[in-house]
Amino acid sequence: MKKTATLIITLVLSVSAVSAVEIAPYYSYNLTQGASVSPEGNMGFLLNLSNDIGTIVRPMDDHSFIGFYSVRYQGPGLKRQEGRRFRERYMNHIFAGRHHWNIGDMTLKSQLSVLLERRRSGTNETWQGGLYNFNRYGGTTSLERELYGVDSVFSLGYHFVQFPNYTDLLAEIRQGADAEDTAGTQNHHSIRMAYSGALDLYSFGLAFNPLFYTRQRVAVDDVQDDGTFYSSTKQRDLIVDASGSRVFFLSDSAIVSPEIELRYKTSNQNYQHFEHATSTTAVEYFDGFFNYIEPSLSSPLSVRLGDGWTYFFNPSLSFRQYLNRVPRDSSGEFLDGKKQYRLLGVHSTGFRKQTGESSSTTLFFTYQHQTSNMEFERYAPYNYAGFSFGLRFQMEY
Amino acid sequence: MNMKIKAVLLIFTGAMFFGAASAAADVPSWLVPAALRFASNPDDFFYNLHLDNVDYTPSRMDDTVSVRTNFLGTTVPLTWMNLNAKVKVLNDRSLTDWSPQVDISAAYGRIIMLDIMPALMDDDDDDAPEPSMNNYSIGLTLKKPVSPETSLFAGFHHSVVTLNVQLPGDDEVDISDDVSLDEIVVSRRDNVLVTGISNKTGEDRRISAYMGYGFNYNKVFSRIVWQRRRLEMGFNIYPEGLLVVHPFLGWQWRF
């Protein structure tokens, strides 16, 4: 009885408290339907659907809580493409809970999140059985405060990324391993340490993202005791990102904000090249095969035209230079003495019309091109140009 | 398989092509692969048509009851008559400032052609196959106005579609010595979570969008609808469906 009375009093107090709580919902709906045209003139459809819903609850002046759920789908649209015309599609669900705590002139933000991504990379895969399905669990905490006049954010995050269905089919063939041996080789721990700052019209950032694989071993040049080319050392990657941008107000209605970014990736993973995909004969070994440096540049421009219309133009270029990867000629032979590179450009332009308080429609056109000294294109194109266009409808509050 | 069973299956397949596949002699090149895709997942196709008939948007603030029927895409040309009713059981802010509007909604439909076909085909010498269909949806929708023009809503619904063709005893198809086919069943039931937004664009005019997720089949779908006082039009998106985009026209009565 005493417990029941306590419970009722607690509930009444909670309800009373809730009535004084500030609550603000958030919602965003996004539908993009478009088509892409390859250099050969083949047309493919694309469809993006996303739906975000969240609530901000502020029970006290210094504390606020945010609950967030998002579901996204990306795949071919207009007509379903199965069989030999199958195109990869994926959907993901993100659940996040965030806490903001104002401590004097600082804000401490903490977030826990779960991401469940389901991928169908082949027509024979079900959503639950996708080879590249993954789950990501973890959290991030960040501290915001002004430091020497700069609005600064320090953040630290940890996530565990798990691929429940992944198995290395080629390793199974080459080494006679069973699925148990090669399962989970993509699972990894990810730590992210970042700093970002903003001063007037400038902003900049630096981030370190080491990855620690739980089962993936490093390939080596010599056959090991177990008869494989894998040592007992586990794979470790490090990705470093540095960026800087500035906002320019060209007029009352035009803004351009160029950004430069530099990414460096290094990994202790190496590459042992086999005669062909299912061969057990190793023919060439490359140390540091996955290491690269990649500067990129973008300069989004936005012009308000009045009556709810906005014009935008987003050019972007990125140049990836592999540090120790040798390109191949069209027959697959390695071109010794050269290092592989690729230049990728993605340039979008279009018009956006605000059609209501919370709805807008965007007509976009994107031109994408890539050039590389990698000429072996039996499995993937390295030199191409194509474009896509479509309509995006958005409602948000 | 006798002609009557073929006729039943033709109606099923005809549903897929909105009545276009009527002449078996002049089969267009796209028909065969489309029919095979339909055959591999017929329940998904009928379930999508069922979702065309279901309205997950909440009732408007001034309405207590609203009844809607979808006529393009299902009633026409499939004779799939349908009604969707929404009853507002709780007004917005009726308990606290943040208590939402609560609707109970339900939908039901019948394919008239399936109901009358046995009678049309029955003769004294031969019993006709007996097709039947059951489809309904029931659920709860919460709506919260966040500005004079904009409302957010979320709902949880249970949907069922079942098609059943009972073959007469003398029409059973022998699969083996011990096994025979005497019934064709196409069935799907799912629990659906829907979230969406509704924006008033003028007097008695609205635009609404929502996205739904079905838990049992990892199914994503979406609708964008322009609503007038009575008429509404829009399209549904089924990314994994046989037909990805389903345009529709609906009519509603509001009380």
Side-chain angles (χ1 to χ4, degrees):
Chain A
M1 188 64 192
K2 192 176 175 183
K3 281 183 182 173
T4 309
T6 308
L7 183 65
I8 290 171
I9 290 168
T10 307
L11 280 174
V12 169
L13 288 175
S14 302
V15 169
S16 307
V18 163
S19 63
V21 166
E22 287 180 46
I23 302 175
Y26 165 77
Y27 182 82
S28 174
Y29 170 92
N30 203 314
L31 166 67
T32 304
Q33 176 73 70
S36 58
V37 181
S38 71
E40 297 80 25
N42 297 325
M43 181 176 278
F45 298 106
L46 55 97
L47 174 70
N48 280 316
L49 262 173
S50 72
N51 189 75
D52 306 338
I53 187 163
T55 303
I56 303 169
V57 181
R58 192 193 300 272
M60 290 169 274
D61 285 346
D62 294 335
H63 293 272
S64 56
F65 297 86
I66 300 168
F68 178 81
Y69 167 68
S70 169
V71 56
R72 291 168 198 276
Y73 173 92
Q74 182 171 319
L78 277 182
K79 66 177 190 177
R80 191 175 71 158
Q81 292 172 16
E82 293 283 357
R84 67 186 172 86
R85 289 184 175 178
F86 182 87
R87 290 180 58 203
E88 187 181 56
R89 69 279 316 263
Y90 73 87
M91 70 166 84
N92 63 40
H93 303 264
I94 302 171
F95 305 88
R98 188 181 292 177
H99 173 232
H100 291 187
W101 184 11
N102 297 321
I103 313 165
D105 60 349
M106 298 186 297
T107 304
L108 182 68
K109 295 180 177 177
S110 306
Q111 173 176 302
L112 290 173
S113 67
V114 175
L115 183 152
L116 309 174
E117 179 151 313
R118 302 291 173 257
R119 254 174 208 274
R120 290 185 65 210
S121 58
T123 190
N124 58 334
E125 284 184 322
T126 62
W127 283 113
Q128 291 302 329
L131 190 66
Y132 301 103
N133 286 0
F134 70 86
N135 306 322
R136 192 189 71 190
Y137 315 95
T140 304
T141 185
S142 63
L143 186 69
E144 296 180 8
R145 67 162 302 173
E146 192 179 298
L147 202 66
Y148 303 112
V150 178
D151 293 328
S152 301
V153 181
F154 299 88
S155 63
L156 177 66
Y158 165 77
H159 292 91
F160 177 62
V161 185
Q162 176 197 35
F163 290 75
N165 303 328
Y166 183 81
T167 179
D168 186 342
L169 298 175
L170 290 178
E172 287 180 36
I173 294 167
R174 284 179 189 144
Q175 301 159 23
D178 58 25
E180 186 76 19
D181 291 333
T182 58
T185 46
Q186 287 297 311
N187 295 356
H188 60 268
H189 303 279
S190 168
I191 296 170
R192 190 171 191 276
M193 296 161 283
Y195 168 80
S196 64
L199 178 65
D200 298 329
L201 300 174
Y202 296 89
S203 59
F204 39 88
L206 181 66
F208 295 87
N209 183 196
L211 309 175
F212 302 93
Y213 286 76
T214 59
R215 292 201 65 188
Q216 180 64 57
R217 295 181 294 152
V218 170
V220 290
D221 199 8
D222 305 314
V223 178
Q224 303 295 292
D225 293 342
D226 61 359
T228 72
F229 284 96
Y230 288 99
S231 73
S232 58
T233 307
K234 302 276 180 59
Q235 181 178 336
R236 293 190 307 274
D237 297 351
L238 172 66
I239 300 167
V240 181
D241 286 312
S243 64
S245 68
R246 188 195 193 282
V247 177
F248 292 92
F249 292 94
L250 303 180
S251 70
D252 288 347
S253 56
I255 297 175
V256 64
S257 47
E259 178 176 4
I260 187 164
E261 191 175 330
L262 185 68
R263 167 168 287 196
Y264 170 68
K265 181 184 177 183
T266 180
S267 171
N268 65 346
Q269 185 60 277
N270 309 308
Y271 178 59
Q272 186 66 268
H273 186 68
F274 288 84
E275 213 165 32
H276 51 79
T278 56
S279 167
T280 56
T281 310
V283 291
E284 204 149 358
Y285 171 79
F286 296 95
D287 204 32
F289 191 75
F290 301 95
N291 301 350
Y292 65 79
I293 187 162
E294 183 174 6
S296 56
L297 184 69
S298 64
S299 185
L301 166 74
S302 171
V303 182
R304 271 189 290 115
L305 302 174
D307 200 25
W309 285 91
T310 303
Y311 168 75
F312 63 88
F313 176 56
N314 299 337
S316 73
L317 278 174
S318 70
F319 181 79
R320 177 177 295 183
Q321 176 69 63
Y322 287 95
L323 301 178
N324 200 26
R325 180 180 294 193
V326 177
R328 300 161 75 181
D329 65 16
S330 55
S331 60
E333 295 300 318
F334 286 100
L335 299 167
D336 293 333
K338 292 185 176 180
K339 297 286 193 292
Q340 187 176 328
Y341 70 83
R342 70 121 172 86
L343 175 69
L344 173 68
V346 182
H347 316 293
S348 297
T349 187
F351 293 91
R352 181 174 185 265
K353 167 72 173 166
Q354 192 72 31
T355 49
E357 179 193 64
S358 55
S359 60
S360 65
T361 303
T362 304
L363 174 68
F364 66 90
F365 176 88
T366 301
Y367 175 70
Q368 182 170 332
H369 58 92
Q370 181 173 291
T371 53
S372 172
N373 56 355
M374 174 69 163
E375 296 167 4
F376 184 60
E377 300 186 311
R378 182 181 296 171
Y379 304 112
Y382 291 87
N383 295 277
Y384 65 86
F387 63 88
S388 61
F389 57 92
L391 273 174
R392 181 179 303 123
F393 175 77
Q394 187 175 34
M395 289 185 82
E396 68 179 351
Y397 179 82
Chain B
M1 197 181 293
N2 83 7
M3 286 304 294
K4 291 173 182 175
I5 300 172
K6 286 181 182 172
V8 172
L9 294 177
L10 183 63
I11 284 190
F12 279 18
T13 312
M16 175 178 56
F17 307 115
F18 300 108
S22 54
D26 302 317
V27 176
S29 60
W30 53 268
L31 190 62
V32 173
L36 289 173
R37 286 204 300 272
F38 167 74
S40 69
N41 205 3
D43 55 323
D44 184 65
F45 178 75
F46 284 104
Y47 187 76
N48 290 348
L49 289 172
H50 162 73
L51 292 182
D52 287 349
N53 289 339
V54 179
D55 178 14
Y56 291 121
T57 61
S59 56
R60 299 188 197 183
M61 192 171 63
D62 300 333
D63 302 343
T64 305
V65 175
S66 62
V67 178
R68 172 190 183 270
T69 184
N70 187 61
F71 52 85
L72 181 66
T74 48
T75 304
V76 178
L78 302 177
T79 69
W80 191 332
M81 306 297 286
N82 60 90
L83 279 178
N84 188 106
K86 293 179 283 194
V87 180
K88 185 162 62 183
V89 294
L90 207 59
N91 283 313
D92 180 48
R93 295 182 168 213
S94 54
L95 299 177
T96 69
D97 277 356
W98 272 97
S99 66
Q101 172 185 312
V102 179
D103 290 353
I104 292 177
S105 68
Y108 182 74
R110 291 199 76 86
I111 298 181
I112 302 301
M113 184 58 78
L114 288 183
D115 290 338
I116 64 174
M117 194 172 57
L120 294 175
M121 298 175 63
D122 203 8
D123 56 47
D124 295 338
D125 303 327
D126 200 4
D127 290 335
E130 290 183 17
S132 65
M133 181 177 197
N134 183 27
N135 71 99
Y136 66 86
S137 173
I138 186 160
L140 209 64
T141 302
L142 309 180
K143 169 188 162 187
K144 191 68 199 168
V146 289
S147 80
E149 278 81 36
T150 305
S151 300
L152 306 181
F153 58 91
F156 190 79
H157 300 257
H158 179 67
S159 272
V160 175
V161 174
T162 305
L163 278 140
N164 184 306
V165 182
Q166 191 75 45
L167 306 182
D170 53 352
D171 283 336
E172 288 181 0
V173 179
D174 292 329
I175 306 293
S176 67
D177 291 343
D178 304 325
V179 180
S180 61
L181 177 68
D182 58 2
E183 188 179 24
I184 299 170
V185 178
V186 175
S187 175
R188 174 172 287 205
R189 65 176 59 227
D190 208 347
N191 296 313
V192 172
L193 175 68
V194 172
T195 52
I197 187 168
S198 183
N199 187 213
K200 186 176 180 181
T201 54
E203 189 62 32
D204 263 330
R205 293 185 181 199
R206 292 191 159 268
I207 179 169
S208 300
Y210 61 69
M211 189 162 166
Y213 178 71
F215 290 89
N216 294 353
Y217 294 85
N218 298 292
K219 184 180 181 63
V220 169
F221 62 93
S222 179
R223 171 178 293 186
I224 296 175
V225 54
W226 288 265
Q227 297 161 309
R228 303 289 290 266
R229 175 161 180 76
R230 299 272 182 231
L231 183 70
E232 59 177 52
M233 59 186 294
F235 52 89
N236 295 309
I237 307 276
Y238 304 104
E240 298 290 299
L242 181 65
L243 299 171
V244 174
V245 181
H246 287 207
F248 67 86
L249 279 171
W251 189 265
Q252 64 174 327
W253 297 267
R254 298 159 51 202
F255 308 101

